[in-house]
Amino acid sequence: MPWPLGSSITAHGVNFSVAAPGANRVELLIFPTAEASSPEQLIDLSDSHHRSGDYWHVEVEGLTAGCCYGYRVFGPLAPGGHGFRPAKVLLDPCARAITGWSIYQREAATGASPNTHCCLKGLVCERDRFDFDAHPRPRHSWQQTVIYELHVGGFTQRGDSGVAPDRQGSLLGVIDKIPYLKQLGVTTIELLPVQAFDPQDAPPGRDNVWGYSPLSWFAPHQGYVGGDDPMRARDQMRDLVAACHDADLEVLLDVVYNHTTEGNVDGPTLSWRGFADRTYYHQTEKGEYQDVSGCGNTIAAHQPLSRELILESLRCWALELGVDGFRFDLGIALSRGEGLKPLDQPALFEAMEADPLLSDLKLVSEPWDCGGLYRLNDFPAERIGTWNGRFRDAVRSFWKGDDDSTWSMAQRLRSSPDLYDGKPAGLGRSVNLLTAHDGFTLMDLVSFNRKHNLANGEDNRDGENHNNSWNHGVEGPSSDHAITALRKRQQRNMLSTLLLARGVPMLLMGDEVGRSQGGNNNTWCQDTPLSWMIWSEEHCDTELRIFVQRLLSLRLELAELLNPLVGHCEQQQQQQNRRRSDPEGLWRQWHGVELGKPDWASWSHCLAMSVHRGKRGAVLWAGFNAYFKAMHFDLPKPASPWYRLIDTALPAGEDLPQIPEPWGPEGVPLEARSLVVMVAREYSGSLKL
């Protein structure tokens, strides 16, 4: 049968189906073991009996789960001299488990020589559905959602992680740290790629650690599986998702559908290339690869076969393994059509949004690719939110003290209406971030002016050069107490800004405890302590972690004020609302150091905002002073007496106390480079920090 794709267990054996539209012959190879250097059975799929349209298929009786298999595919070479390579054993693109890692040699998949003796193999395995009755999805609203981006291997790799040695760096290890994530207060974890990738896809002497170079879109990565049995990979992924669901945590996957590990024309023939090179990859008429991924190839997602493969992969992870959503790496590249032309109605996104099986997932994407395409407010999909890189840039710029940064800062706080056709972005449309895996950590953002990537072996050429960072006087670690104190304050300033702003915030693994990568902003090939999470009290900034925990609690408790379902109207709009008899409506007013006088000039480094309850008065006030001198701010008349929630200039523990302090004066001093938040008494009494 041509369906389902991949290998599936039947009443009599195993059915195999794979797409190879341009092939004129296909061989199915059955191997006795994962390490076998030659097949024990070779099944020739004839065109007349084993082909339905673009699909080659056969049912083999007597086989069962655990069977190792691969393909050889024959056909004419495409323009450019690449395509079918019958000397190479190919991995089924839909294989749900992979084996043969102990003998695998990436280099052997290039050139003209056979690689049967050292190839990877697919494994026949179950396709059971995830048990949602026992472990239902948490289904957090976008208003509640706080994302925590982490690397499965690096999260628990250290010996002091509190995870048993045989579970460190694995999917199961993450389960052991769920109490930490719950105590922190996040609702959703976003895992860097866990789909199988090739660690050998890296410069000599290094490994691909991040996994943004997929070998399979269906199989979990073997390096994250506890033990040596690849048949356990899917169960361990389910175990992680089930444990997260039981703890009310959502699981999102960072998925890479824009390119594969096969690279450019000189790369290895491992899977997609050997089945349908011209179909799966964007190419010119001459067979030249068109690359907007920066990795040598770009998936032609507008092609029906590519589209179906991606959709089937999404269903596999969502329905069989239970994940709650996806973040699409360079996702806008998937909107490109023939000749890389950007499409306003990409067939892949339309099919994704129309699929009822995917309708309850959280979907997020990067709105840019390496070909210069950047679509934020006009991202061509209704249900897919986007990483707001402009938020990151504006917040970094403001707190660094750059000119022309105050207006942009205000726009980011109110959900970027300047980027979304004059209206605040709807919740779920904008994911706000300060840092992510690719770039400086928050600690390094305030400690380094430039990247330090020599350890990556590329003479510091790799990684982003424009980081909008500031070392505050000394490059790297410092023993100067004034510098370290200012760095700590700046971390609190930026984290507070992130969590006070309307939108969906994302935190990077370790930013809450001051994790540093020594100024390396591209640790993609560093499976070393440089990129691992820190756990010991000696290395962790415990005071910062407590600050973040309280900040997250504050955000949840004051969601109506900080992250409303519908953005607060501005003062001018409220005047109109009053005439419509809306006396209790919440509205926002902007200020400078004086009430109602925001300073948007290029030289301004101060900003304040207040949220008011109808005519009763202000219920929230936040002041931001990025100037190098202290400034005095006037406070608006409150609806009930003011209480001070946050003052980042105060010592740790006092900067965000468990019990807010009453504030009587009509103004408040803000120290240089500090942030203060006030709330009316009617809200302060219910806070549980």
Side-chain angles (χ1 to χ4, degrees), residues 558-587:
L558 297 180
E560 178 189 24
L561 303 181
L562 300 175
N563 196 35
L565 293 174
V566 179
H568 298 314
C569 61
E570 301 296 310
Q571 183 179 19
Q572 183 178 5
Q573 294 171 300
Q574 174 59 15
Q575 292 171 353
Q576 297 173 356
N577 289 343
R578 287 177 186 171
R579 293 192 290 269
R580 298 171 188 164
S581 301
D582 187 16
E584 290 297 309
L586 291 171
W587 55 281

Side-chain angles (χ1 to χ4, degrees), residues 259 494 614 645:
H259 73 279
M494 285 189 273
L645 289 180

Side-chain angles (χ1 to χ4, degrees), residues 111-161:
S113 301
N115 71 332
T116 313
H117 63 291
C118 58
C119 65
L120 293 172
K121 305 164 183 71
L123 268 179
V124 176
C125 61
E126 45 72 28
R127 295 187 177 212
D128 298 340
R129 292 296 180 99
F130 184 84
D131 189 351
F132 288 107
D133 291 332
H135 313 284
R137 297 192 191 281
R139 298 179 185 272
H140 292 298
S141 69
W142 281 118
Q143 185 185 35
Q144 298 174 313
T145 300
V146 178
I147 300 171
Y148 186 89
E149 185 193 46
L150 67 86
H151 182 273
V152 168
F155 193 51
T156 63
Q157 195 69 265
R158 288 182 183 268
D160 59 7
S161 64

Side-chain angles (χ1 to χ4, degrees), residues 300-355:
H302 67 293
Q303 294 281 1
L305 292 184
S306 301
R307 182 167 68 248
E308 185 54 46
L309 202 60
I310 293 171
L311 290 169
E312 179 65 9
S313 167
L314 294 174
R315 297 183 196 112
C316 168
W317 288 91
L319 303 179
E320 298 175 21
L321 303 180
V323 304
D324 304 295
F326 302 93
R327 177 266 192 189
F328 300 103
D329 175 68
L330 301 183
I332 196 62
L334 301 173
S335 74
R336 291 182 180 268
E338 199 66 35
L340 298 178
K341 179 182 177 181
L343 304 175
D344 289 329
Q345 296 177 306
L348 173 62
F349 293 155
E350 289 187 334
M352 198 182 299
E353 295 186 325
D355 191 334

Side-chain angles (χ1 to χ4, degrees), residues 494-642:
M494 285 189 273
L495 286 166
S496 298
T497 304
L498 173 67
L499 295 173
L500 289 171
R502 184 172 181 269
V504 179
M506 186 185 82
L507 296 167
L508 171 64
M509 175 185 87
D511 275 356
E512 75 279 10
V513 289
R515 184 177 72 91
S516 172
Q517 294 178 166
N520 191 318
N521 71 353
N522 190 35
T523 58
W524 74 280
C525 58
Q526 296 292 332
D527 189 14
T528 67
L530 192 67
S531 66
W532 295 346
M533 178 63 175
I534 55 176
W535 294 105
S536 72
E537 295 292 324
E538 178 184 356
H539 297 105
C540 289
D541 186 341
T542 304
E543 294 171 338
L544 180 60
R545 176 176 54 78
I546 293 172
F547 181 88
V548 173
Q549 286 175 206
R550 293 178 180 176
L551 197 55
L552 287 169
S553 295
L554 181 69
R555 177 183 173 86
L556 181 62
E557 295 284 339
L558 297 180
E560 178 189 24
L561 303 181
L562 300 175
N563 196 35
L565 293 174
V566 179
H568 298 314
C569 61
E570 301 296 310
Q571 183 179 19
Q572 183 178 5
Q573 294 171 300
Q574 174 59 15
Q575 292 171 353
Q576 297 173 356
N577 289 343
R578 287 177 186 171
R579 293 192 290 269
R580 298 171 188 164
S581 301
D582 187 16
E584 290 297 309
L586 291 171
W587 55 281
R588 180 192 291 108
Q589 186 177 15
W590 295 100
H591 315 280
V593 294
E594 297 181 39
L595 293 177
K597 296 181 180 180
D599 188 352
W600 307 122
S602 63
W603 56 78
S604 173
H605 302 289
C606 298
L607 178 67
M609 70 171 186
S610 55
V611 176
H612 298 249
R613 172 72 71 182
K615 296 181 181 180
R616 292 178 48 218
V619 292
L620 178 79
W621 180 89
F624 308 82
N625 180 20
Y627 198 45
F628 65 88
K629 294 181 179 180
M631 304 293 288
H632 185 277
F633 285 71
D634 294 336
L635 289 172
K637 181 181 177 181
S640 55
W642 284 124

